[in-house]
Amino acid sequence: MVCLTCHHFLPDGDKQNVMQRSGKNNFLQGSINFQIHVLKDHEEKATDQKAASLMLVADRREATSKCLTATAPECTTSECSTSSCIDCAQTKELPAETALAMLHEKSSTCVSILFKNAHAIAKQGRPYSDFEWLCKLDIAKGVDIGSTYHNHTSCTTFVLFIAEDLRLKLEEEVQAAMFFSVLVDDSTDSSISEQQIIYVQYAIDGISHVCFVSLESVERADAITLHAAIHNAFNRELHVSNEIFCRKIVGFASDGAAVMVGVRNGVATLLKQEQPSLVSTHCMAHRVELAIKTANQAQPYQQQVDSLLLTIYLFYHQSPLNRQMLRRAAEAEGCKFLIPTRVGGTRWISHTKLALEHTLQMYKPLVLHLQQLKNGTTIQKLAKQNAAAILKLLDTSKFVLYAHFLLDCLNVLSELSLILQSRGTDISVAFNAVDAAIVMLRKYKTRDGPKLKDAYKMMDETTAPTAAEIEVFKSAKAKHVDVLLSELERRLPINGNMLQNISLILYIKSWPLDLKGEEDYGDCALDDIVAHHRTVLEAASVQTENVVEEWTTIKLYVQKRYSDEHGRQKATWADILAANPRSKNFAAVVNLLLSLPSTSVECERGFSQMKRIKSDWRSRLSGSNLNALMRISLDSPSVCAFGPSNAVALWEAERRRRPFVKPYGPHLSTKPATVEDDDEQTAEDDVDDDDALIIELSVQHSDSD
């Protein structure tokens, strides 16, 4: 190994001294010792530092010459008449920092492009091997990305540093937050490994954030193991000690499994032993699904409708000929062709709604095609029997009315489910959405919904139901609504005092426009909230005795600032708290309430993303790579908005980098260098020396920083 800096820039006298002291094993003639401490010792020697200084002087002159050649002022010296006199320019030499900055800027630009490519690979869930052809595409387009770090191993490294940058930002925000909640769920990945996904929800300055923390691989999915995994994840990823964790945690959300919310040994129970005021939430979106499924099991005709929709789906899914004939029937009826979809699944509401919509919009083509099959002379016997069985249930006024009524109910429940799954939904919004859905369903008990009204209009004299059939249908409709409302009210705590109190404070749209006569609005609810969370608030240095007074100030401000309904629709807690900086104690209460989760749908999104990333083709992904890919895909900016500067800085700071220089150059002579040999070598290997110069300058620049 030869030191290019000493080889080219160290004076001959110093070279002879070095060779006399070190013998044959030195960095001028070639050293066979590659140990790191030997390299560091050589770098710290005075001879190497002298050579580096001479190299900087030579580079400064070269940079000055190039700059003056491009835009050189005319020389005003009487002895010189050239327009780019380097001798005169020596008195105006550019500082070494300028040359270093130019070189460092070029290297940073190229590395940033590579980091953006790696981020796009991770964000879109592509394999690391795509990074190589993506770099080749950049080169083909004329983009300067250097000549190194173009393999999938480098992409893996870049992804880890991008994820580390995101982790550091999350750690800083969680450390700054006064309170936070934990969202947890468990599932199995493609390698049949038990995985626990952990999210954190916190609020700063009236803005709620939900971020991915970690994906923990656990041996057993019991409460003790999952509880320990939560603490380990917060300690390792966010550097939150157990003491701080117990002091800041205010909420916990899960899917409602026994291992999570069990009264005796559930994870929520173990967390409550550490923080008694913790609020445990069974995901409201899950509870809506469970309530609907339970209500449907008590409705015999509902089960017949589900079975019919599944039969229609299979009838056309398994036969390309039947599907093609249905397409022709839709063209004959002048309808848009829609494929029958499957009912049921993990998302019952959306799947059943879509299946009903397609069936009702394709109702006439379906009946036409099934009648053709039933009455056809060249149709197989089995196909005729299946068509007749489907047509027997489908072509009835009872099915038409019930399907349209069910679609009205599903539209309300689907809107509720979408609100609960939205990322900006806090407890107050979820509470009011559930309340509004129950009120609307109660109306459908005695009134016809918009879809049911359309059903009555589309029926002609031959298909219109009789008066007796209408009475039977109305009775069945009322019974269905009663069962559905009973299940929703049983599973959703609409009348819970804590939820009502939180909604009363957080839901600004429900505040009275005029406080005259209602000066005490929300005071009792706020007292109950403060009393429940007093330990956590006092641990965060909140003066609880001043909260109600500051609450009154906030109410008066909102009344003046947002005086009408239109203004209340635009009001946000971030704007209100920013306009009242003195109300710090009440702001802490608001941040606490915004930190409480209403659902655990983010965990479901995380597992969906995990299954896309760790597929059957990538089942050997390590835990660190999987966590990095999950963090980037879930929490990083979009491909266009991503800025890699912080991640690049972390990458450069980890150890000395050699961007854009091949690791192995031409073999250098081990003879003692002379002036002639040095000049000849410089002339022959000019390109490699320039590359080496870039390396050394970049290193010196990073050292000076």
Side-chain angles (χ1 to χ4, degrees):
M1 179 185 294
V2 175
C3 176
L4 294 177
T5 305
C6 296
H7 182 78
H8 291 298
F9 296 98
L10 196 63
D12 294 340
D14 293 330
K15 289 181 180 179
Q16 296 296 334
N17 294 333
V18 170
M19 288 186 288
Q20 290 176 2
R21 290 196 308 267
S22 304
K24 294 183 178 181
N25 189 22
N26 58 69
F27 286 93
L28 285 173
Q29 295 175 297
S31 174
I32 60 174
N33 193 339
F34 296 93
Q35 296 182 6
I36 295 178
H37 71 89
V38 175
L39 299 176
K40 291 183 177 179
D41 291 341
H42 172 73
E43 182 185 11
E44 295 174 356
K45 289 183 179 179
T47 54
D48 184 73
Q49 295 178 1
K50 181 178 180 180
S53 301
L54 294 174
M55 179 189 67
L56 290 176
V57 172
D59 179 71
R60 183 172 57 181
R61 291 180 178 177
E62 181 182 356
T64 304
S65 176
K66 291 180 179 179
C67 182
L68 291 174
T69 302
T71 56
E74 274 197 33
C75 180
T76 57
T77 309
S78 58
E79 292 84 358
C80 181
S81 59
T82 60
S83 60
S84 58
C85 177
I86 298 179
D87 292 333
C88 295
Q90 289 177 357
T91 59
K92 303 177 182 179
E93 286 181 343
L94 296 177
E97 289 79 3
T98 304
L100 289 172
M102 292 169 60
L103 295 171
H104 187 70
E105 181 181 0
K106 178 181 181 298
S107 64
S108 297
T109 302
C110 297
V111 173
S112 297
I113 296 175
L114 296 177
F115 266 76
K116 287 183 178 181
N117 289 347
H119 172 265
I121 292 291
K123 189 70 175 179
Q124 301 302 320
R126 302 298 304 169
Y128 289 136
S129 57
D130 283 5
F131 182 77
E132 298 179 5
W133 67 258
L134 195 58
C135 291
K136 293 179 181 178
L137 179 61
D138 283 339
I139 294 174
K141 291 186 294 187
V143 179
D144 184 9
I145 59 172
S147 58
T148 54
Y149 301 112
H150 294 178
N151 50 48
H152 70 277
T153 305
S154 298
C155 181
T156 305
T157 303
F158 295 159
V159 166
L160 292 176
F161 277 98
I162 295 172
E164 177 65 11
D165 176 41
L166 295 173
R167 189 199 65 79
L168 290 174
K169 293 178 182 177
L170 177 61
E171 177 186 344
E172 182 180 357
E173 291 187 355
V174 172
Q175 295 284 355
M178 302 177 69
F179 317 100
F180 58 74
S181 296
V182 180
L183 291 71
V184 177
D185 200 357
D186 64 299
S187 181
T188 305
D189 61 18
S190 61
S191 62
I192 320 300
S193 300
E194 192 74 27
Q195 299 285 356
Q196 181 186 25
I197 194 168
I198 303 172
Y199 277 77
V200 61
Q201 179 170 337
Y202 58 94
I204 298 177
D205 297 331
I207 301 176
S208 180
H209 306 271
V210 183
C211 297
F212 171 78
V213 176
S214 177
L215 195 64
E216 298 292 309
S217 180
V218 294
E219 294 182 357
R220 299 179 59 187
D222 57 1
I224 297 176
T225 304
L226 298 180
H227 175 261
I230 294 174
H231 278 290
N232 292 336
F234 272 79
N235 288 336
R236 184 185 67 253
E237 301 293 335
L238 305 179
H239 294 106
V240 175
S241 64
N242 292 346
E243 179 184 356
I244 297 177
F245 179 90
C246 298
R247 189 170 70 242
K248 286 189 174 184
I249 187 171
V250 293
F252 174 78
S254 66
D255 60 354
V259 70
M260 295 292 180
V261 297
V263 178
R264 295 183 179 179
N265 297 316
V267 176
T269 302
L270 297 178
L271 292 175
K272 283 185 177 181
Q273 293 175 2
E274 300 172 345
Q275 179 51 262
S277 62
L278 180 135
V279 177
S280 177
T281 303
H282 178 186
C283 176
M284 298 180 72
H286 282 82
R287 284 188 282 182
V288 171
E289 294 276 351
L290 292 172
I292 296 173
K293 285 187 176 181
T294 305
N296 290 341
Q297 292 175 359
Q299 302 293 329
Y301 192 70
Q302 172 67 53
Q303 298 180 20
Q304 293 183 23
V305 171
D306 290 344
S307 178
L308 176 61
L309 294 175
L310 180 59
T311 303
I312 293 174
Y313 163 75
L314 294 175
F315 186 77
Y316 289 100
H317 178 73
Q318 296 175 351
S319 174
L321 178 61
N322 288 340
R323 181 177 296 190
Q324 187 62 29
M325 293 300 103
L326 180 61
R327 184 187 297 272
R328 292 186 179 182
E331 293 175 356
E333 292 290 341
C335 299
K336 180 182 178 181
F337 175 69
L338 298 173
I339 301 174
T341 60
R342 190 182 189 94
V343 69
T346 55
R347 299 173 60 190
W348 188 91
I349 296 177
S350 58
H351 292 170
T352 306
K353 178 187 174 185
L354 185 62
L356 270 176
E357 288 177 342
H358 284 201
T359 301
L360 294 178
Q361 292 182 37
M362 289 286 293
Y363 183 77
K364 292 183 178 180
L366 281 170
V367 173
L368 176 61
H369 178 236
L370 293 172
Q371 287 176 346
Q372 292 174 351
L373 291 177
K374 178 183 177 182
N375 301 325
T377 57
T378 61
I379 306 301
Q380 294 181 357
K381 183 178 180 180
L382 181 60
K384 294 180 67 172
Q385 291 176 351
N386 291 337
I390 295 174
L391 196 60
K392 182 179 179 180
L393 296 175
L394 185 66
D395 192 17
T396 60
S397 60
K398 181 179 181 180
F399 171 80
V400 173
L401 293 176
Y402 192 86
H404 283 83
F405 159 71
L406 185 59
L407 189 56
D408 281 326
C409 296
L410 288 177
N411 284 333
V412 175
L413 296 172
S414 177
E415 183 66 24
L416 171 61
S417 181
L418 289 177
I419 293 175
L420 295 178
Q421 294 177 45
S422 175
R423 292 186 174 180
T425 300
D426 55 48
I427 286 184
S428 65
V429 176
F431 178 87
N432 284 277
V434 171
D435 198 15
I438 289 178
V439 171
M440 185 59 67
L441 290 174
R442 191 173 286 117
K443 289 182 179 180
Y444 287 164
K445 180 179 179 179
T446 56
R447 295 169 51 184
D448 295 337
K451 297 297 181 182
L452 187 55
K453 292 179 180 178
D454 294 339
Y456 283 117
K457 293 179 182 179
M458 66 179 288
M459 291 182 176
D460 52 24
E461 296 179 357
T462 58
T463 59
T466 63
E469 290 176 338
I470 292 178
E471 291 299 324
V472 172
F473 168 71
K474 288 183 177 180
S475 176
K477 182 180 71 169
K479 182 180 179 181
H480 183 94
V481 173
D482 286 338
V483 174
L484 184 58
L485 290 175
S486 175
E487 287 298 324
L488 286 173
E489 291 174 351
R490 181 176 70 87
R491 291 186 177 273
L492 296 172
I494 304 302
N495 298 320
N497 291 331
M498 178 58 68
L499 288 179
Q500 286 183 339
N501 292 337
I502 294 174
S503 179
L504 203 66
I505 301 299
L506 286 185
Y507 202 65
I508 305 173
K509 299 175 185 177
S510 64
W511 293 7
L513 294 176
D514 190 357
L515 291 176
K516 291 183 178 179
E518 296 191 46
E519 291 83 359
D520 297 335
Y521 174 82
D523 290 358
C524 294
L526 187 59
D527 286 337
D528 292 342
I529 292 172
V530 172
H532 181 82
H533 295 284
R534 187 178 301 278
T535 303
V536 179
L537 291 171
E538 291 179 350
S541 302
V542 177
Q543 299 178 0
T544 55
E545 64 276 5
N546 297 334
V547 172
V548 175
E549 180 181 351
E550 295 176 2
W551 158 243
T552 304
T553 304
I554 294 294
K555 287 189 294 184
L556 294 174
Y557 169 79
V558 172
Q559 180 183 2
K560 295 178 181 179
R561 178 65 178 82
Y562 307 100
S563 57
D564 54 4
E565 292 287 348
H566 182 69
R568 292 289 171 91
Q569 297 293 329
K570 298 181 179 180
T572 63
W573 279 112
D575 295 337
I576 294 173
L577 297 182
N580 296 269
R582 295 186 177 181
S583 302
K584 295 182 180 180
N585 300 297
F586 178 74
V589 175
V590 171
N591 286 328
L592 186 151
L593 299 181
L594 291 175
S595 300
L596 296 175
S598 59
T599 67
S600 62
V601 294
E602 289 296 335
C603 296
E604 301 295 338
R605 290 194 185 99
F607 276 131
S608 297
Q609 191 66 25
M610 180 198 71
K611 292 177 180 179
R612 285 191 289 268
I613 293 173
K614 192 173 182 178
S615 60
D616 293 338
W617 286 16
R618 306 179 73 186
S619 59
R620 296 178 61 187
L621 273 175
S622 64
S624 58
N625 279 329
L626 181 57
N627 269 293
L629 292 171
M630 289 280 290
R631 195 180 304 281
I632 293 173
S633 61
L634 293 171
D635 293 338
S636 72
S638 64
V639 174
C640 297
F642 172 67
S645 56
N646 292 335
V648 172
L650 289 174
W651 176 75
E652 291 179 341
E654 187 215 15
R655 61 184 175 87
R656 293 193 170 185
R657 302 291 179 178
R658 295 168 58 89
F660 321 120
V661 178
K662 297 287 186 181
Y664 303 105
H667 179 70
L668 297 178
S669 174
T670 58
K671 299 185 302 180
T674 62
V675 176
E676 292 79 6
D677 293 336
D678 185 74
D679 292 340
E680 182 180 358
Q681 182 71 26
T682 304
E684 291 177 354
D685 299 325
D686 182 66
V687 176
D688 295 311
D689 289 346
D690 287 344
D691 290 342
L693 184 61
I694 293 176
I695 295 177
E696 296 296 330
L697 284 175
S698 300
V699 170
Q700 292 290 340
H701 178 71
S702 62
D703 290 344
S704 63
D705 290 343

